[in-house]
Amino acid sequence: MAGVVLSPVYNTALVRSQLIGDAPVGPSGSVAVLCAGLALAWRATLRRGHLRADPATLTWADFDGRRPRVLTRRLLGAWAVRFAAVGYLFVVAGVLIGFPPGQAVFLYAAVAALALVMARRPAIRGEAALPLVPAVLGTFPIGPLWILAVVALAAAVVAAFAPSAAVTVSRPELVRAFGERMAERTATAFLDVWALLPAGRPVPWVRLSGRFPAVRYVVAGTLARRHALGLPVFLALAVTAAHATFPALSSVWLLGLGGYLALLPFAAPIAQLHRVPALRRWLTTSEPRLRLTTALVLVVIAVFWTSAVVLLGVPVSLGSLVAVPVAAYAVVRSVTRGPVDFGAMNLVLYEGVLVPTGLVRQLARGPDLLVIGLLICGFLP
């Protein structure tokens, strides 16, 4: 594992030829990687996962005032891991294509400080859009980096005076956050990964009764996940940054993998029906029609996402355009598998290791179509 992580350092020429090739890439590529990483780490820190601690333990810790220290320690640990990963990506990009001026380091420190103090305080409306700023400026450098760094540092100083969420958070909030954490842990333990897809929010202006129930259900479920639009935006900027930094990477794989991840949240409506088979009873539409309807809705979303990526400067070919609907149907195939059957593991001994081939086959449903489809798209002009 350490050899793979450090390979760009001791095997720089080989890694550079695979990711960059002969294309001229300047230090601005390192800036794009840094800004995309900062945006993703900042966005993850704003989820305030440090508040998802056991309320019972924290209640006992309240007697001697330890609760704020416990929550703050959790925040610092998660924040340090995320921004250490960003620093690693920046160093790798710098080794491969060159380091930008020192103001990039100033930007890194300022944004990291702002992310920490914002996650420390209670949430405010609209804060989830702020991480888009470094992502956009990394893709479209319209000014010196030190301007954004100074603004971020000044905002961090102002926000530092706000009361800490570790002190002001209420017990009901802790219980709700811990319930979400336990639901995610249970879903992960039982490999029910589609339970982690975003839950829907009410859409009062869409009715499910009437003609074309499958279309109504899928469209309503997609609109109910409108709060998940931030992920496709981040992925579009990340794909643009990856192309600018590593031009040797095929646009087929960039658009295919990026489109697959961008469309996953909006496949939650049909995923919910297959995770809980009892919910499938009230929707009398046939299974092929439901899958086709979902695929068509996802293709419409994918068209807008691909258009945004193209406008951002990523070149496309026939193969990359075909990869997008392949990714859409791969998403449908992924989320329509039934619950995992742990009785069909089919253990096979391979090189002294027991491999659960049956379990792997169940989990590979969807990604297998994506990988095979992208390999075929790679041969198209």
Side-chain angles (χ1 to χ4, degrees):
M1 184 65 181
V4 175
V5 171
L6 297 177
S7 60
V9 178
Y10 68 83
N11 208 357
T12 306
L14 177 60
V15 177
R16 182 186 290 116
S17 64
Q18 293 175 342
L19 297 180
I20 300 175
D22 299 328
V25 180
S28 60
S30 299
V31 175
V33 171
L34 174 64
C35 290
L38 289 175
L40 292 174
W42 187 0
R43 185 171 184 265
T45 305
L46 285 181
R47 295 183 62 189
R48 294 174 175 81
H50 64 289
L51 298 179
R52 308 172 89 178
D54 188 348
T57 302
L58 294 177
T59 298
W60 285 105
D62 279 345
F63 287 104
D64 56 2
R66 287 171 46 204
R67 187 182 76 174
R69 292 198 298 273
V70 172
L71 293 178
T72 302
R73 186 165 57 248
R74 288 170 53 87
L75 169 61
L76 289 174
W79 168 83
V81 169
R82 294 187 180 109
F83 282 91
V86 176
Y88 163 77
L89 293 177
F90 176 62
V91 170
V92 168
V95 168
L96 293 177
I97 60 181
F99 288 95
Q103 55 183 333
V105 179
F106 182 29
L107 175 66
Y108 171 83
V111 172
L114 179 58
L116 177 61
V117 297
M118 286 190 65
R120 173 185 169 273
R121 58 169 293 162
I124 57 176
R125 182 181 296 273
E127 66 178 13
L130 293 178
L132 281 173
V133 176
V136 172
L137 294 182
T139 306
F140 303 102
I142 57 177
L145 295 179
W146 64 266
I147 296 179
L148 175 59
V150 170
V151 173
L153 188 60
V157 172
V158 173
F161 292 98
S164 172
V167 177
T168 61
V169 65
S170 63
R171 180 174 173 79
E173 292 178 283
L174 291 173
V175 172
R176 178 188 56 79
F178 186 68
E180 295 175 354
R181 177 188 175 193
M182 293 305 297
E184 292 183 1
R185 280 191 171 185
T186 304
T188 304
F190 287 94
L191 301 180
D192 187 14
V193 293
W194 307 134
L196 305 179
L197 295 177
R201 295 178 180 176
V203 187
W205 61 85
V206 178
R207 294 179 176 271
L208 295 180
S209 60
R211 299 180 60 189
F212 310 111
V215 177
R216 291 173 178 269
Y217 173 75
V218 174
V219 170
T222 303
L223 293 176
R225 274 81 183 177
R226 58 193 180 277
H227 57 281
L229 284 173
L231 178 61
V233 174
F234 274 102
L235 287 172
L237 295 172
V239 166
T240 305
H243 169 72
T245 308
F246 308 116
L249 291 177
S250 172
S251 59
V252 170
W253 290 92
L254 289 176
L255 290 178
L257 295 176
Y260 181 85
L261 296 176
L263 296 175
L264 265 180
F266 305 103
I270 190 173
Q272 187 175 13
L273 293 181
H274 286 78
R275 285 186 57 253
V276 186
L279 296 178
R280 184 69 179 83
R281 296 179 181 178
W282 68 270
L283 192 61
T284 58
T285 306
S286 64
E287 186 66 22
R289 177 175 295 183
L290 179 61
R291 295 189 184 189
L292 180 60
T293 302
T294 304
L296 292 177
V297 172
L298 293 180
V299 167
V300 172
I301 300 174
V303 168
F304 287 100
W305 184 82
T306 306
S307 301
V309 172
V310 172
L311 292 176
L312 290 173
V314 177
V316 296
S317 60
L318 177 61
S320 59
L321 291 178
V322 175
V324 176
V326 169
Y329 195 76
V331 169
V332 176
R333 177 175 168 81
S334 298
V335 301
T336 53
R337 67 166 172 81
V340 176
D341 183 7
F342 290 95
M345 299 185 67
N346 299 332
L347 295 174
V348 175
L349 185 64
Y350 178 77
E351 297 292 337
V353 179
L354 287 175
V355 180
T357 56
L359 187 61
V360 171
R361 179 184 58 80
Q362 296 179 70
L363 297 178
R365 177 184 167 90
D368 56 352
L369 174 63
L370 178 66
V371 172
I372 295 173
L374 295 183
L375 288 173
I376 296 175
C377 291
F379 291 100
L380 297 178

